[in-house]
Amino acid sequence: MIAAVIMAFGSTIVTTSCNKKKDSVNTTSEKSQFVNVTDVVPDVILEIRYYGTYNFVGARIDGYEAPTALLTKQAANALKAVSDDVVKQGYRLKIYDAYRPQKGVDHFVRWAADANATEMKEYFYPDLDKSVLFDQEYIMAKSGHTRGSTVDLTLFDMKTEKELDMGGTFDWFGPESHPDFCGNPETGEYTGDNSKSPKGRSITAQQFANRMILRRAMLKHGFKPLDTEWWHFTLENEPFPNTYFEFEVK
């Protein structure tokens, strides 16, 4: 049976319907449990890709009204511990995306359904026909980012004053972005195995090692990785595992 569920978030009461299926979710525009990441992690560098046009869509994404990063309080506090860790190693965190409003995800879905919108194909998905993006789950109707405790990020090397070379760009659609590409992320061992790459692309031992620096720091401080994106991490004990937020990034 379908039941009405009423959830209270601060002064806002949200009514939604759900059933016992595993994919039931709640949506809300309440944002009292979120913080601006730079207020908690002052060392962080921001390059919010979906506020600009250098992203796989090639346009500013709906819901991004400012080039800032928002996260739940819990995720931001955990990220502060990560930042303190990597700063001691000579790096700073650089964020590409954090909280993503549902309307931003909806924008991705509309874009993926438009077979003619391929302006950024050569930069982000040259090996794929756009028609497979849904089937291969590069684009999905729901995203962990919308729950507010997921972040996409890399490392900035303070010595070179450049991003640490990870051997691939953020939001590259392909096996080259997988944490286990050319190595074993569980052991940190570089194998050089690039057999999953459709074009025989590869990354070096140093590039794999750089990915592992970020991964180790994130896992050490309570984040869990995604097996298809080296830059993507979610707070393991995220406070809103079944709630998808709708307020804009501003």
PDB file of all heavy atoms in Angstrom, residues 44-81:
ATOM      1  N   VAL A  44      40.136  25.152   1.001  1.00  0.00           N
ATOM      2  CA  VAL A  44      39.659  24.508  -0.216  1.00  0.00           C
ATOM      3  C   VAL A  44      39.660  25.479  -1.395  1.00  0.00           C
ATOM      4  O   VAL A  44      39.471  26.691  -1.233  1.00  0.00           O
ATOM      5  CB  VAL A  44      38.251  23.913   0.005  1.00  0.00           C
ATOM      6  CG1 VAL A  44      37.184  25.003  -0.028  1.00  0.00           C
ATOM      7  CG2 VAL A  44      37.946  22.844  -1.026  1.00  0.00           C
ATOM      8  N   ILE A  45      39.901  24.932  -2.573  1.00  0.00           N
ATOM      9  CA  ILE A  45      39.830  25.684  -3.828  1.00  0.00           C
ATOM     10  C   ILE A  45      38.569  25.236  -4.562  1.00  0.00           C
ATOM     11  O   ILE A  45      38.262  24.041  -4.597  1.00  0.00           O
ATOM     12  CB  ILE A  45      41.072  25.415  -4.704  1.00  0.00           C
ATOM     13  CG1 ILE A  45      42.341  25.857  -3.973  1.00  0.00           C
ATOM     14  CG2 ILE A  45      40.956  26.102  -6.058  1.00  0.00           C
ATOM     15  CD1 ILE A  45      43.615  25.376  -4.649  1.00  0.00           C
ATOM     16  N   LEU A  46      37.846  26.179  -5.146  1.00  0.00           N
ATOM     17  CA  LEU A  46      36.617  25.846  -5.849  1.00  0.00           C
ATOM     18  C   LEU A  46      36.758  26.056  -7.350  1.00  0.00           C
ATOM     19  O   LEU A  46      37.267  27.083  -7.803  1.00  0.00           O
ATOM     20  CB  LEU A  46      35.449  26.703  -5.341  1.00  0.00           C
ATOM     21  CG  LEU A  46      35.103  26.618  -3.857  1.00  0.00           C
ATOM     22  CD1 LEU A  46      33.878  27.481  -3.569  1.00  0.00           C
ATOM     23  CD2 LEU A  46      34.867  25.181  -3.413  1.00  0.00           C
ATOM     24  N   GLU A  47      36.333  25.084  -8.104  1.00  0.00           N
ATOM     25  CA  GLU A  47      36.160  25.221  -9.554  1.00  0.00           C
ATOM     26  C   GLU A  47      34.854  24.511  -9.903  1.00  0.00           C
ATOM     27  O   GLU A  47      34.850  23.367 -10.361  1.00  0.00           O
ATOM     28  CB  GLU A  47      37.324  24.615 -10.335  1.00  0.00           C
ATOM     29  CG  GLU A  47      37.239  24.882 -11.832  1.00  0.00           C
ATOM     30  CD  GLU A  47      38.334  24.219 -12.636  1.00  0.00           C
ATOM     31  OE1 GLU A  47      39.438  24.038 -12.091  1.00  0.00           O
ATOM     32  OE2 GLU A  47      38.081  23.881 -13.799  1.00  0.00           O
ATOM     33  N   ILE A  48      33.750  25.167  -9.646  1.00  0.00           N
ATOM     34  CA  ILE A  48      32.439  24.546  -9.778  1.00  0.00           C
ATOM     35  C   ILE A  48      32.083  24.455 -11.260  1.00  0.00           C
ATOM     36  O   ILE A  48      31.608  25.404 -11.869  1.00  0.00           O
ATOM     37  CB  ILE A  48      31.380  25.329  -8.977  1.00  0.00           C
ATOM     38  CG1 ILE A  48      31.835  25.504  -7.528  1.00  0.00           C
ATOM     39  CG2 ILE A  48      30.040  24.606  -9.037  1.00  0.00           C
ATOM     40  CD1 ILE A  48      32.157  24.208  -6.793  1.00  0.00           C
ATOM     41  N   ARG A  49      32.306  23.295 -11.822  1.00  0.00           N
ATOM     42  CA  ARG A  49      32.197  23.107 -13.262  1.00  0.00           C
ATOM     43  C   ARG A  49      30.779  23.339 -13.792  1.00  0.00           C
ATOM     44  O   ARG A  49      30.604  23.781 -14.927  1.00  0.00           O
ATOM     45  CB  ARG A  49      32.651  21.701 -13.635  1.00  0.00           C
ATOM     46  CG  ARG A  49      34.148  21.472 -13.486  1.00  0.00           C
ATOM     47  CD  ARG A  49      34.938  22.145 -14.611  1.00  0.00           C
ATOM     48  NE  ARG A  49      36.360  21.850 -14.506  1.00  0.00           N
ATOM     49  CZ  ARG A  49      36.938  20.806 -15.078  1.00  0.00           C
ATOM     50  NH1 ARG A  49      36.218  19.957 -15.790  1.00  0.00           N
ATOM     51  NH2 ARG A  49      38.235  20.606 -14.930  1.00  0.00           N
ATOM     52  N   TYR A  50      29.774  23.031 -12.985  1.00  0.00           N
ATOM     53  CA  TYR A  50      28.407  23.144 -13.500  1.00  0.00           C
ATOM     54  C   TYR A  50      27.852  24.554 -13.394  1.00  0.00           C
ATOM     55  O   TYR A  50      26.765  24.830 -13.895  1.00  0.00           O
ATOM     56  CB  TYR A  50      27.493  22.133 -12.805  1.00  0.00           C
ATOM     57  CG  TYR A  50      27.975  20.706 -12.979  1.00  0.00           C
ATOM     58  CD1 TYR A  50      27.950  19.798 -11.930  1.00  0.00           C
ATOM     59  CD2 TYR A  50      28.481  20.270 -14.203  1.00  0.00           C
ATOM     60  CE1 TYR A  50      28.412  18.500 -12.090  1.00  0.00           C
ATOM     61  CE2 TYR A  50      28.947  18.980 -14.379  1.00  0.00           C
ATOM     62  CZ  TYR A  50      28.914  18.098 -13.320  1.00  0.00           C
ATOM     63  OH  TYR A  50      29.369  16.806 -13.488  1.00  0.00           O
ATOM     64  N   TYR A  51      28.606  25.447 -12.785  1.00  0.00           N
ATOM     65  CA  TYR A  51      28.239  26.863 -12.816  1.00  0.00           C
ATOM     66  C   TYR A  51      28.724  27.496 -14.122  1.00  0.00           C
ATOM     67  O   TYR A  51      28.144  28.465 -14.611  1.00  0.00           O
ATOM     68  CB  TYR A  51      28.852  27.591 -11.619  1.00  0.00           C
ATOM     69  CG  TYR A  51      28.546  29.077 -11.606  1.00  0.00           C
ATOM     70  CD1 TYR A  51      27.302  29.556 -11.195  1.00  0.00           C
ATOM     71  CD2 TYR A  51      29.506  30.000 -12.017  1.00  0.00           C
ATOM     72  CE1 TYR A  51      27.025  30.908 -11.196  1.00  0.00           C
ATOM     73  CE2 TYR A  51      29.240  31.365 -12.014  1.00  0.00           C
ATOM     74  CZ  TYR A  51      27.993  31.813 -11.606  1.00  0.00           C
ATOM     75  OH  TYR A  51      27.719  33.154 -11.622  1.00  0.00           O
ATOM     76  N   GLY A  52      29.783  26.959 -14.687  1.00  0.00           N
ATOM     77  CA  GLY A  52      30.329  27.462 -15.937  1.00  0.00           C
ATOM     78  C   GLY A  52      29.873  26.628 -17.122  1.00  0.00           C
ATOM     79  O   GLY A  52      28.880  25.897 -17.066  1.00  0.00           O
ATOM     80  N   THR A  53      30.636  26.724 -18.212  1.00  0.00           N
ATOM     81  CA  THR A  53      30.265  26.013 -19.436  1.00  0.00           C
ATOM     82  C   THR A  53      31.250  24.905 -19.801  1.00  0.00           C
ATOM     83  O   THR A  53      30.993  24.143 -20.736  1.00  0.00           O
ATOM     84  CB  THR A  53      30.165  26.987 -20.624  1.00  0.00           C
ATOM     85  OG1 THR A  53      31.434  27.625 -20.826  1.00  0.00           O
ATOM     86  CG2 THR A  53      29.099  28.038 -20.372  1.00  0.00           C
ATOM     87  N   TYR A  54      32.378  24.819 -19.071  1.00  0.00           N
ATOM     88  CA  TYR A  54      33.312  23.734 -19.354  1.00  0.00           C
ATOM     89  C   TYR A  54      32.897  22.502 -18.564  1.00  0.00           C
ATOM     90  O   TYR A  54      33.383  22.223 -17.464  1.00  0.00           O
ATOM     91  CB  TYR A  54      34.754  24.135 -19.025  1.00  0.00           C
ATOM     92  CG  TYR A  54      35.743  23.025 -19.340  1.00  0.00           C
ATOM     93  CD1 TYR A  54      35.846  22.513 -20.636  1.00  0.00           C
ATOM     94  CD2 TYR A  54      36.558  22.483 -18.357  1.00  0.00           C
ATOM     95  CE1 TYR A  54      36.732  21.495 -20.933  1.00  0.00           C
ATOM     96  CE2 TYR A  54      37.451  21.458 -18.648  1.00  0.00           C
ATOM     97  CZ  TYR A  54      37.531  20.968 -19.935  1.00  0.00           C
ATOM     98  OH  TYR A  54      38.404  19.948 -20.236  1.00  0.00           O
ATOM     99  N   ASN A  55      31.941  21.793 -19.118  1.00  0.00           N
ATOM    100  CA  ASN A  55      31.440  20.540 -18.564  1.00  0.00           C
ATOM    101  C   ASN A  55      30.865  19.735 -19.719  1.00  0.00           C
ATOM    102  O   ASN A  55      30.823  20.208 -20.857  1.00  0.00           O
ATOM    103  CB  ASN A  55      30.392  20.795 -17.469  1.00  0.00           C
ATOM    104  CG  ASN A  55      29.231  21.652 -17.952  1.00  0.00           C
ATOM    105  OD1 ASN A  55      28.545  21.301 -18.910  1.00  0.00           O
ATOM    106  ND2 ASN A  55      29.007  22.789 -17.300  1.00  0.00           N
ATOM    107  N   PHE A  56      30.430  18.522 -19.465  1.00  0.00           N
ATOM    108  CA  PHE A  56      30.022  17.648 -20.570  1.00  0.00           C
ATOM    109  C   PHE A  56      28.767  18.126 -21.288  1.00  0.00           C
ATOM    110  O   PHE A  56      28.514  17.741 -22.435  1.00  0.00           O
ATOM    111  CB  PHE A  56      29.858  16.200 -20.095  1.00  0.00           C
ATOM    112  CG  PHE A  56      28.798  15.985 -19.047  1.00  0.00           C
ATOM    113  CD1 PHE A  56      27.475  15.789 -19.398  1.00  0.00           C
ATOM    114  CD2 PHE A  56      29.138  15.956 -17.692  1.00  0.00           C
ATOM    115  CE1 PHE A  56      26.503  15.577 -18.435  1.00  0.00           C
ATOM    116  CE2 PHE A  56      28.175  15.751 -16.720  1.00  0.00           C
ATOM    117  CZ  PHE A  56      26.844  15.563 -17.094  1.00  0.00           C
ATOM    118  N   VAL A  57      27.976  18.998 -20.656  1.00  0.00           N
ATOM    119  CA  VAL A  57      26.800  19.571 -21.312  1.00  0.00           C
ATOM    120  C   VAL A  57      27.196  20.768 -22.176  1.00  0.00           C
ATOM    121  O   VAL A  57      26.643  20.993 -23.247  1.00  0.00           O
ATOM    122  CB  VAL A  57      25.743  19.982 -20.265  1.00  0.00           C
ATOM    123  CG1 VAL A  57      24.578  20.724 -20.913  1.00  0.00           C
ATOM    124  CG2 VAL A  57      25.230  18.747 -19.516  1.00  0.00           C
ATOM    125  N   GLY A  58      28.158  21.554 -21.692  1.00  0.00           N
ATOM    126  CA  GLY A  58      28.585  22.732 -22.417  1.00  0.00           C
ATOM    127  C   GLY A  58      27.774  23.970 -22.091  1.00  0.00           C
ATOM    128  O   GLY A  58      27.753  24.937 -22.855  1.00  0.00           O
ATOM    129  N   ALA A  59      27.098  23.958 -20.937  1.00  0.00           N
ATOM    130  CA  ALA A  59      26.270  25.088 -20.521  1.00  0.00           C
ATOM    131  C   ALA A  59      26.172  25.097 -19.006  1.00  0.00           C
ATOM    132  O   ALA A  59      26.452  24.088 -18.346  1.00  0.00           O
ATOM    133  CB  ALA A  59      24.874  24.981 -21.126  1.00  0.00           C
ATOM    134  N   ARG A  60      25.794  26.251 -18.440  1.00  0.00           N
ATOM    135  CA  ARG A  60      25.542  26.280 -17.003  1.00  0.00           C
ATOM    136  C   ARG A  60      24.352  25.379 -16.698  1.00  0.00           C
ATOM    137  O   ARG A  60      23.348  25.389 -17.404  1.00  0.00           O
ATOM    138  CB  ARG A  60      25.252  27.698 -16.527  1.00  0.00           C
ATOM    139  CG  ARG A  60      25.002  27.769 -15.021  1.00  0.00           C
ATOM    140  CD  ARG A  60      24.729  29.181 -14.541  1.00  0.00           C
ATOM    141  NE  ARG A  60      25.913  30.032 -14.735  1.00  0.00           N
ATOM    142  CZ  ARG A  60      25.943  31.319 -14.393  1.00  0.00           C
ATOM    143  NH1 ARG A  60      24.879  31.902 -13.885  1.00  0.00           N
ATOM    144  NH2 ARG A  60      27.045  32.023 -14.595  1.00  0.00           N
ATOM    145  N   ILE A  61      24.463  24.618 -15.625  1.00  0.00           N
ATOM    146  CA  ILE A  61      23.437  23.645 -15.270  1.00  0.00           C
ATOM    147  C   ILE A  61      22.378  24.284 -14.381  1.00  0.00           C
ATOM    148  O   ILE A  61      22.681  25.093 -13.507  1.00  0.00           O
ATOM    149  CB  ILE A  61      24.078  22.423 -14.571  1.00  0.00           C
ATOM    150  CG1 ILE A  61      25.161  21.824 -15.476  1.00  0.00           C
ATOM    151  CG2 ILE A  61      23.035  21.390 -14.208  1.00  0.00           C
ATOM    152  CD1 ILE A  61      24.694  21.439 -16.861  1.00  0.00           C
ATOM    153  N   ASP A  62      21.143  23.911 -14.618  1.00  0.00           N
ATOM    154  CA  ASP A  62      20.025  24.455 -13.843  1.00  0.00           C
ATOM    155  C   ASP A  62      20.258  24.266 -12.353  1.00  0.00           C
ATOM    156  O   ASP A  62      20.692  23.193 -11.904  1.00  0.00           O
ATOM    157  CB  ASP A  62      18.716  23.754 -14.223  1.00  0.00           C
ATOM    158  CG  ASP A  62      18.252  24.077 -15.639  1.00  0.00           C
ATOM    159  OD1 ASP A  62      18.865  24.952 -16.266  1.00  0.00           O
ATOM    160  OD2 ASP A  62      17.288  23.433 -16.100  1.00  0.00           O
ATOM    161  N   GLY A  63      19.963  25.297 -11.591  1.00  0.00           N
ATOM    162  CA  GLY A  63      20.081  25.217 -10.139  1.00  0.00           C
ATOM    163  C   GLY A  63      21.394  25.716  -9.582  1.00  0.00           C
ATOM    164  O   GLY A  63      21.530  25.860  -8.368  1.00  0.00           O
ATOM    165  N   TYR A  64      22.354  25.997 -10.451  1.00  0.00           N
ATOM    166  CA  TYR A  64      23.645  26.528 -10.009  1.00  0.00           C
ATOM    167  C   TYR A  64      23.641  28.045 -10.199  1.00  0.00           C
ATOM    168  O   TYR A  64      23.935  28.558 -11.282  1.00  0.00           O
ATOM    169  CB  TYR A  64      24.792  25.882 -10.785  1.00  0.00           C
ATOM    170  CG  TYR A  64      25.057  24.461 -10.371  1.00  0.00           C
ATOM    171  CD1 TYR A  64      24.270  23.411 -10.846  1.00  0.00           C
ATOM    172  CD2 TYR A  64      26.076  24.141  -9.484  1.00  0.00           C
ATOM    173  CE1 TYR A  64      24.497  22.098 -10.462  1.00  0.00           C
ATOM    174  CE2 TYR A  64      26.318  22.830  -9.092  1.00  0.00           C
ATOM    175  CZ  TYR A  64      25.523  21.816  -9.578  1.00  0.00           C
ATOM    176  OH  TYR A  64      25.748  20.511  -9.188  1.00  0.00           O
ATOM    177  N   GLU A  65      23.288  28.747  -9.128  1.00  0.00           N
ATOM    178  CA  GLU A  65      23.150  30.193  -9.190  1.00  0.00           C
ATOM    179  C   GLU A  65      24.395  30.934  -8.698  1.00  0.00           C
ATOM    180  O   GLU A  65      24.452  32.162  -8.764  1.00  0.00           O
ATOM    181  CB  GLU A  65      21.929  30.628  -8.370  1.00  0.00           C
ATOM    182  CG  GLU A  65      20.614  30.042  -8.865  1.00  0.00           C
ATOM    183  CD  GLU A  65      20.282  30.471 -10.280  1.00  0.00           C
ATOM    184  OE1 GLU A  65      20.531  31.656 -10.605  1.00  0.00           O
ATOM    185  OE2 GLU A  65      19.796  29.635 -11.065  1.00  0.00           O
ATOM    186  N   ALA A  66      25.365  30.200  -8.200  1.00  0.00           N
ATOM    187  CA  ALA A  66      26.619  30.802  -7.727  1.00  0.00           C
ATOM    188  C   ALA A  66      27.721  29.741  -7.797  1.00  0.00           C
ATOM    189  O   ALA A  66      27.443  28.543  -7.676  1.00  0.00           O
ATOM    190  CB  ALA A  66      26.470  31.315  -6.299  1.00  0.00           C
ATOM    191  N   PRO A  67      28.981  30.162  -7.987  1.00  0.00           N
ATOM    192  CA  PRO A  67      30.097  29.209  -8.072  1.00  0.00           C
ATOM    193  C   PRO A  67      30.590  28.807  -6.693  1.00  0.00           C
ATOM    194  O   PRO A  67      31.754  29.026  -6.330  1.00  0.00           O
ATOM    195  CB  PRO A  67      31.153  29.987  -8.849  1.00  0.00           C
ATOM    196  CG  PRO A  67      30.914  31.401  -8.436  1.00  0.00           C
ATOM    197  CD  PRO A  67      29.414  31.545  -8.268  1.00  0.00           C
ATOM    198  N   THR A  68      29.705  28.218  -5.916  1.00  0.00           N
ATOM    199  CA  THR A  68      30.048  27.849  -4.551  1.00  0.00           C
ATOM    200  C   THR A  68      29.737  26.378  -4.315  1.00  0.00           C
ATOM    201  O   THR A  68      29.085  25.732  -5.134  1.00  0.00           O
ATOM    202  CB  THR A  68      29.292  28.740  -3.545  1.00  0.00           C
ATOM    203  OG1 THR A  68      29.839  28.552  -2.241  1.00  0.00           O
ATOM    204  CG2 THR A  68      27.802  28.412  -3.515  1.00  0.00           C
ATOM    205  N   ALA A  69      30.198  25.856  -3.190  1.00  0.00           N
ATOM    206  CA  ALA A  69      29.992  24.452  -2.847  1.00  0.00           C
ATOM    207  C   ALA A  69      29.267  24.353  -1.518  1.00  0.00           C
ATOM    208  O   ALA A  69      29.692  24.943  -0.521  1.00  0.00           O
ATOM    209  CB  ALA A  69      31.337  23.718  -2.765  1.00  0.00           C
ATOM    210  N   LEU A  70      28.189  23.606  -1.497  1.00  0.00           N
ATOM    211  CA  LEU A  70      27.409  23.364  -0.294  1.00  0.00           C
ATOM    212  C   LEU A  70      27.453  21.880   0.043  1.00  0.00           C
ATOM    213  O   LEU A  70      27.455  21.027  -0.845  1.00  0.00           O
ATOM    214  CB  LEU A  70      25.951  23.793  -0.493  1.00  0.00           C
ATOM    215  CG  LEU A  70      25.702  25.216  -1.001  1.00  0.00           C
ATOM    216  CD1 LEU A  70      24.203  25.442  -1.216  1.00  0.00           C
ATOM    217  CD2 LEU A  70      26.261  26.244  -0.044  1.00  0.00           C
ATOM    218  N   LEU A  71      27.474  21.577   1.338  1.00  0.00           N
ATOM    219  CA  LEU A  71      27.415  20.194   1.817  1.00  0.00           C
ATOM    220  C   LEU A  71      26.653  20.170   3.134  1.00  0.00           C
ATOM    221  O   LEU A  71      26.500  21.198   3.804  1.00  0.00           O
ATOM    222  CB  LEU A  71      28.821  19.631   2.048  1.00  0.00           C
ATOM    223  CG  LEU A  71      29.653  19.213   0.831  1.00  0.00           C
ATOM    224  CD1 LEU A  71      31.070  18.848   1.268  1.00  0.00           C
ATOM    225  CD2 LEU A  71      29.009  18.046   0.084  1.00  0.00           C
ATOM    226  N   THR A  72      26.222  18.976   3.533  1.00  0.00           N
ATOM    227  CA  THR A  72      25.664  18.838   4.872  1.00  0.00           C
ATOM    228  C   THR A  72      26.759  19.168   5.887  1.00  0.00           C
ATOM    229  O   THR A  72      27.953  19.069   5.593  1.00  0.00           O
ATOM    230  CB  THR A  72      25.163  17.412   5.121  1.00  0.00           C
ATOM    231  OG1 THR A  72      26.262  16.490   5.006  1.00  0.00           O
ATOM    232  CG2 THR A  72      24.066  17.026   4.133  1.00  0.00           C
ATOM    233  N   LYS A  73      26.346  19.552   7.077  1.00  0.00           N
ATOM    234  CA  LYS A  73      27.314  19.901   8.112  1.00  0.00           C
ATOM    235  C   LYS A  73      28.264  18.743   8.395  1.00  0.00           C
ATOM    236  O   LYS A  73      29.472  18.937   8.572  1.00  0.00           O
ATOM    237  CB  LYS A  73      26.579  20.299   9.387  1.00  0.00           C
ATOM    238  CG  LYS A  73      25.731  21.555   9.254  1.00  0.00           C
ATOM    239  CD  LYS A  73      24.928  21.821  10.515  1.00  0.00           C
ATOM    240  CE  LYS A  73      24.050  23.050  10.367  1.00  0.00           C
ATOM    241  NZ  LYS A  73      23.213  23.303  11.567  1.00  0.00           N
ATOM    242  N   GLN A  74      27.719  17.541   8.425  1.00  0.00           N
ATOM    243  CA  GLN A  74      28.533  16.371   8.736  1.00  0.00           C
ATOM    244  C   GLN A  74      29.593  16.125   7.659  1.00  0.00           C
ATOM    245  O   GLN A  74      30.757  15.824   7.959  1.00  0.00           O
ATOM    246  CB  GLN A  74      27.643  15.135   8.893  1.00  0.00           C
ATOM    247  CG  GLN A  74      26.709  15.192  10.089  1.00  0.00           C
ATOM    248  CD  GLN A  74      25.363  15.855   9.772  1.00  0.00           C
ATOM    249  OE1 GLN A  74      25.242  16.647   8.827  1.00  0.00           O
ATOM    250  NE2 GLN A  74      24.357  15.511  10.557  1.00  0.00           N
ATOM    251  N   ALA A  75      29.196  16.242   6.394  1.00  0.00           N
ATOM    252  CA  ALA A  75      30.145  16.013   5.304  1.00  0.00           C
ATOM    253  C   ALA A  75      31.220  17.098   5.279  1.00  0.00           C
ATOM    254  O   ALA A  75      32.404  16.814   5.038  1.00  0.00           O
ATOM    255  CB  ALA A  75      29.404  15.960   3.972  1.00  0.00           C
ATOM    256  N   ALA A  76      30.825  18.333   5.534  1.00  0.00           N
ATOM    257  CA  ALA A  76      31.794  19.426   5.545  1.00  0.00           C
ATOM    258  C   ALA A  76      32.811  19.255   6.666  1.00  0.00           C
ATOM    259  O   ALA A  76      34.010  19.498   6.480  1.00  0.00           O
ATOM    260  CB  ALA A  76      31.066  20.758   5.685  1.00  0.00           C
ATOM    261  N   ASN A  77      32.363  18.818   7.820  1.00  0.00           N
ATOM    262  CA  ASN A  77      33.282  18.604   8.939  1.00  0.00           C
ATOM    263  C   ASN A  77      34.276  17.487   8.625  1.00  0.00           C
ATOM    264  O   ASN A  77      35.471  17.580   8.964  1.00  0.00           O
ATOM    265  CB  ASN A  77      32.501  18.286  10.208  1.00  0.00           C
ATOM    266  CG  ASN A  77      31.787  19.508  10.763  1.00  0.00           C
ATOM    267  OD1 ASN A  77      32.203  20.638  10.534  1.00  0.00           O
ATOM    268  ND2 ASN A  77      30.704  19.280  11.501  1.00  0.00           N
ATOM    269  N   ALA A  78      33.779  16.427   7.991  1.00  0.00           N
ATOM    270  CA  ALA A  78      34.675  15.331   7.611  1.00  0.00           C
ATOM    271  C   ALA A  78      35.667  15.797   6.554  1.00  0.00           C
ATOM    272  O   ALA A  78      36.846  15.414   6.566  1.00  0.00           O
ATOM    273  CB  ALA A  78      33.867  14.148   7.099  1.00  0.00           C
ATOM    274  N   LEU A  79      35.208  16.649   5.639  1.00  0.00           N
ATOM    275  CA  LEU A  79      36.098  17.159   4.602  1.00  0.00           C
ATOM    276  C   LEU A  79      37.178  18.066   5.196  1.00  0.00           C
ATOM    277  O   LEU A  79      38.293  18.126   4.675  1.00  0.00           O
ATOM    278  CB  LEU A  79      35.285  17.910   3.552  1.00  0.00           C
ATOM    279  CG  LEU A  79      35.976  18.143   2.210  1.00  0.00           C
ATOM    280  CD1 LEU A  79      36.267  16.815   1.518  1.00  0.00           C
ATOM    281  CD2 LEU A  79      35.130  19.035   1.313  1.00  0.00           C
ATOM    282  N   LYS A  80      36.848  18.745   6.281  1.00  0.00           N
ATOM    283  CA  LYS A  80      37.857  19.567   6.970  1.00  0.00           C
ATOM    284  C   LYS A  80      39.008  18.686   7.458  1.00  0.00           C
ATOM    285  O   LYS A  80      40.188  19.059   7.367  1.00  0.00           O
ATOM    286  CB  LYS A  80      37.222  20.288   8.150  1.00  0.00           C
ATOM    287  CG  LYS A  80      38.204  21.106   9.020  1.00  0.00           C
ATOM    288  CD  LYS A  80      38.858  22.230   8.249  1.00  0.00           C
ATOM    289  CE  LYS A  80      39.515  23.269   9.160  1.00  0.00           C
ATOM    290  NZ  LYS A  80      40.618  22.719   9.953  1.00  0.00           N
ATOM    291  N   ALA A  81      38.680  17.508   7.970  1.00  0.00           N
ATOM    292  CA  ALA A  81      39.719  16.590   8.424  1.00  0.00           C
ATOM    293  C   ALA A  81      40.572  16.115   7.250  1.00  0.00           C
ATOM    294  O   ALA A  81      41.798  15.978   7.373  1.00  0.00           O
ATOM    295  CB  ALA A  81      39.087  15.398   9.139  1.00  0.00           C
TER     296      ALA A  81
END
